[in-house]
Amino acid sequence: MSLFRKSTPAKSVVFAVNYDDARTAYMWIDNPSKANDNRAVDLIARAQQEKGFLPEGTITTIRRVR
């Protein structure tokens, strides 16, 4: 019997969305293949901002957190 468990890979990827007024919001993407494409992540962030899931404002950077 092993005392250590193998960790399961994360099913979602977390991004920190930074704004020009020093605010930070967090965004989750459930599809890891889209999370590897920077352009797709940018488009997803803009779409979520239009839907109201992310706050309004000018997005300066999007950085992968986990």
Side-chain angles (χ1 to χ4, degrees):
M1 182 168 83
S2 176
L3 298 177
F4 299 101
R5 294 184 193 179
K6 285 187 177 181
S7 64
T8 58
K11 293 184 172 116
S12 63
V13 181
V14 180
F15 288 88
V17 181
N18 298 315
Y19 292 88
D20 62 348
D21 58 355
R23 291 181 296 159
T24 302
Y26 293 94
M27 171 179 72
W28 284 262
I29 297 180
D30 293 330
N31 188 346
S33 63
K34 286 185 180 180
N36 291 331
D37 183 15
N38 291 336
R39 186 159 194 257
V41 171
D42 186 46
L43 292 174
I44 291 169
R46 307 287 178 199
Q48 286 190 4
Q49 193 175 30
E50 288 176 4
K51 291 179 183 177
F53 297 129
L54 288 176
E56 294 294 323
T58 304
I59 296 175
T60 55
T61 60
I62 301 173
R63 184 176 47 94
R64 185 176 180 153
V65 177
R66 177 183 65 94

